[in-house]
Amino acid sequence: MATPVSGVAAMAVALTLAQQLEQYVSLGIFLLGSTLAALSFLAWRRERDRRMFVVTVGYLMFALYGLIVFLEYYLLPYFTFRTVELLEHGAALLILAGLLAFFVALARN
C-alpha cells in the first residue's frame, strides 16, 4: 500500500541530479555568504572601518543570490516558470554587484 507523499517531498524526489546539485551548491553559497557577512559585520562593528562595511554588503549579495537560486524550485508552484527564471537569472546581477563591492573595498585607501 503506497503512502501519500507531501508536496515538498514529492518535488524533492522529482528533481534531476543537476537540479539537486544546483540546490546544494546554492544552499552552500547562502550559508557561507551569510556566515562571512556576519563575521565581517562583527569586524566592522569593532573597527568602524568603512571598507569592512562594503565587504559585508558584498557577502550579503552573494548570500542573497544563493538563497534566490536555492528557492527557485520551491517558488514554481506560486509563480510562473518565466517569472522564476527571470528572478534567478536577474539575481546574477547580485554577483556583479558583490564583485564590484569587493573591488571598491580593495581600491579605497
Side-chain angles (χ1 to χ4, degrees):
M1 180 175 193
T3 60
V5 179
S6 70
V8 174
M11 186 171 57
V13 173
L15 294 178
T16 66
L17 180 61
Q19 292 169 328
Q20 288 177 2
L21 180 63
E22 180 183 34
Q23 290 270 285
Y24 292 137
V25 169
S26 298
L27 181 61
I29 291 170
F30 170 69
L31 293 175
L32 184 61
S34 298
T35 302
L36 292 172
L39 293 173
S40 299
F41 180 74
L42 292 174
W44 171 76
R45 283 189 60 194
R46 186 184 68 229
E47 298 175 13
R48 295 291 178 189
D49 183 14
R50 185 178 174 134
R51 287 185 292 177
M52 211 53 175
F53 183 75
V54 173
V55 169
T56 301
V57 170
Y59 281 132
L60 281 175
M61 289 181 191
F62 281 105
L64 185 59
Y65 171 79
L67 180 65
I68 289 170
V69 175
F70 175 73
L71 292 177
E72 173 188 10
Y73 299 108
Y74 298 111
L75 293 175
L76 282 175
Y78 305 106
F79 300 104
T80 64
F81 179 77
R82 192 176 237 174
T83 303
V84 173
E85 282 296 307
L86 182 61
L87 178 66
E88 180 196 2
H89 294 299
L93 292 173
L94 292 169
I95 298 295
L96 288 174
L99 290 172
L100 182 62
F102 288 130
F103 176 75
V104 167
L106 288 173
R108 287 178 102 59
N109 287 335

